[in-house]
Amino acid sequence: MALPQVGGNVALIVARYPELGRLVELEAAGWSFIHHRDAEGVKQVDAFRAWPDGWMDCLRVRSATDAMGLRSTGGDPPALTWERTGDLAEVVDGLIGLPAPGERTAPRLVRGVAPRLWTPGGRR
């Protein structure tokens, strides 16, 4: 199922697809969005918010019931400190509720680390 095209009057779109109102909240909070389209429309929406020191909050949305959010450190490679999957509303609630990376209650325990990208001529 393709996500609806977003454009025109946002209020009318959110009235028809209330779950998209959650994405409007993230946009108002300074998040950036990337729409992945094919011939049928938008297939996936990725969103991110960059924090100082390289921390990053990310969101992937495939449908109202298939979303994933995460927070990663600014390290090289980045480390995963928070992750949630589920309905769009649940994941966005989790992301909005996350304290800023520098706050005392922000998640810091590393849950996983991405493998380093090997580049020709680079060190292993």
Side-chain angles (χ1 to χ4, degrees), residues 3 7 12 19 31 36 43 48 53-54 66 72 76 78 87 106 112 115:
L3 296 168
L12 291 175
E19 63 275 9
W31 285 62
H36 302 277
K43 286 297 194 187
F48 65 94
D53 298 325
D66 183 3
S72 65
D76 183 23
D87 291 344

Side-chain angles (χ1 to χ4, degrees), residues 74-118:
D76 183 23
L80 181 67
T81 61
W82 181 90
E83 179 181 26
R84 179 167 293 166
T85 59
D87 291 344
L88 175 60
E90 296 168 342
V91 173
V92 171
D93 283 345
L95 288 164
I96 289 174
L98 276 176
E103 291 186 18
R104 181 181 60 81
T105 58
R108 289 179 184 42
L109 180 64
V110 172
R111 300 176 48 138
V113 177
R116 286 186 75 94
L117 176 64
W118 178 83

Side-chain angles (χ1 to χ4, degrees), residues 58-73:
C58 301
L59 172 68
R60 182 209 67 213
V61 181
R62 292 188 177 145
S63 73
T65 58
D66 183 3
M68 178 184 70
L70 62 87
R71 175 172 284 173
S72 65
T73 66

Side-chain angles (χ1 to χ4, degrees), residues 23-47:
L23 299 181
V24 173
E25 291 176 45
L26 291 180
E27 184 178 38
W31 285 62
S32 298
F33 291 83
I34 302 167
H35 300 85
H36 302 277
R37 294 179 170 87
D38 65 9
E40 297 177 22
V42 177
K43 286 297 194 187
Q44 179 173 310
V45 174
D46 293 328

